[in-house]
Amino acid sequence: METNALQYAPILRHGYFSVENYVQASRMKYVQTWATEVEIQAAADLFGVDVFTYSRNKWFKYSTTNGKTIDSAIYLKHCNASHYEVVTCVKQHNSDQCTKLCSKSNDCPQSHQIRSSSSRRELDRKNKQYEMNKQFQDAKNNRGIKRYNEDANYKKTIKERSINKYATDTQHRTNVKQYSAQKYATDAQHQANVKQYSQQKYATDAQHQANVKQYSQQKYATDAQHQAKVKQYSQQKYATDAQHQANMQTTRKLSKNAA
């Protein structure tokens, strides 16, 4: 555990800030100190074997992360919330019939429960690992980005999920807007991409074009700073862009004739 501290830090119980602290404070090196789920996971990794424990009327699976050395597994029962005993046979509830769990029967009614419990536990473990381990977090993010770029169906699903969350989750929408504004202000490449996308959408999407014009008019009427910037930009463009200059002159003539 101490050799692979980063691997086990995410599954430590509350109150411990590192594996070294946990080993010292829990006195886990000493005889007669009860093992916890941390030691069970470490044992599964060390011996290359899955470990199943029965506690609180359900099974929990501790999958080895170092590759299995044998096909069988270790089965333990958590007794009196204090120690573990070896399980030699598992019987169905209210029956003397063996579930054949130890022989990995495909029709074992308990096997689904084991997978279900272990899946939830594995998800909790990975969530904790993601929160506490920057290296694991970066690796997971990179895998997600790679899959997003290579898997069209996955990309479509993520986009649909994101659009739906943006439309229904107010806090998420606020966070996205705040993040986007910060990134636009500090990331030149992102700023260029946003401008290019906006120009393309403005040129091809009539509804978007109408919305932009309406928003611009409202902002021009109420925001003095924005009004000054628009005037300055317009003057600069008029002085340097012949096409814009011609368009402005045509607009003025039409306005004059209409009057």
Side-chain angles (χ1 to χ4, degrees):
M1 285 172 54
E2 290 178 303
T3 304
N4 300 284
L6 285 177
Q7 181 177 348
Y8 299 107
I11 61 174
L12 294 177
R13 293 181 176 182
H14 291 297
Y16 302 103
F17 55 83
S18 69
V19 170
E20 182 181 5
N21 167 253
Y22 167 74
V23 172
Q24 292 178 352
S26 66
R27 297 177 61 82
M28 194 52 63
K29 286 185 176 181
Y30 295 90
V31 177
Q32 295 185 344
T33 299
W34 298 119
T36 68
E37 64 275 5
V38 182
E39 286 70 40
I40 295 174
Q41 181 62 60
D45 297 335
L46 176 64
F47 297 119
V49 59
D50 293 339
V51 178
F52 293 86
T53 65
Y54 187 77
S55 178
R56 300 190 298 276
N57 297 319
K58 65 177 69 174
W59 284 98
F60 296 90
K61 180 182 179 182
Y62 298 80
S63 300
T64 178
T65 61
N66 292 333
K68 291 185 179 181
T69 57
I70 55 176
D71 291 333
S72 56
I74 296 174
Y75 299 88
L76 304 172
K77 181 182 179 181
H78 195 200
C79 300
N80 302 321
S82 61
H83 70 285
Y84 292 91
E85 293 182 359
V86 176
V87 175
T88 57
C89 182
V90 178
K91 295 182 180 180
Q92 295 182 17
H93 184 60
N94 295 329
S95 171
D96 288 333
Q97 184 178 356
C98 179
T99 62
K100 299 181 181 180
L101 180 63
C102 49
S103 61
K104 295 187 175 181
S105 172
N106 290 330
D107 59 353
C108 172
Q110 291 282 358
S111 61
H112 175 73
Q113 183 181 354
I114 291 173
R115 285 196 296 269
S116 176
S117 299
S118 64
S119 296
R120 288 194 298 272
R121 187 183 182 285
E122 181 68 10
L123 181 60
D124 290 341
R125 187 180 72 83
K126 287 185 176 181
N127 285 339
K128 289 181 180 178
Q129 190 173 11
Y130 184 86
E131 292 174 0
M132 300 178 64
N133 190 331
K134 184 65 166 59
Q135 184 178 1
F136 178 81
Q137 190 178 115
D138 291 341
K140 183 177 177 64
N141 289 341
N142 289 336
R143 287 196 300 271
I145 293 171
K146 186 174 185 293
R147 186 180 178 188
Y148 183 87
N149 291 330
E150 297 176 354
D151 188 333
N153 290 331
Y154 177 74
K155 186 174 184 177
K156 181 181 178 182
T157 300
I158 293 298
K159 283 185 174 181
E160 290 175 350
R161 189 181 301 166
S162 179
I163 292 171
N164 182 62
K165 188 172 184 179
Y166 186 88
T168 59
D169 189 329
T170 304
Q171 184 60 51
H172 175 69
R173 186 162 58 245
T174 301
N175 293 341
V176 169
K177 287 181 178 179
Q178 183 179 2
Y179 171 77
S180 181
Q182 291 174 345
K183 189 171 184 180
Y184 186 87
T186 58
D187 188 331
Q189 184 60 51
H190 175 69
Q191 190 178 112
N193 292 340
V194 170
K195 287 181 178 179
Q196 182 180 5
Y197 171 77
S198 180
Q199 290 169 355
Q200 291 173 345
K201 190 171 184 180
Y202 186 87
T204 58
D205 188 331
Q207 184 60 52
H208 176 69
Q209 190 178 113
N211 292 340
V212 169
K213 287 181 178 179
Q214 182 180 5
Y215 172 76
S216 180
Q217 290 169 354
Q218 291 174 345
K219 190 171 184 179
Y220 186 87
T222 58
D223 188 332
Q225 183 67 35
H226 175 69
Q227 191 178 110
K229 288 182 179 179
V230 170
K231 287 181 178 179
Q232 182 180 4
Y233 173 76
S234 181
Q235 290 169 354
Q236 291 174 345
K237 190 171 184 179
Y238 187 86
T240 58
D241 188 330
Q243 183 61 51
H244 177 68
Q245 191 178 113
N247 292 340
M248 290 294 293
Q249 290 174 351
T250 301
T251 301
R252 287 171 184 167
K253 288 179 181 178
L254 292 174
S255 298
K256 187 175 181 180
N257 292 335

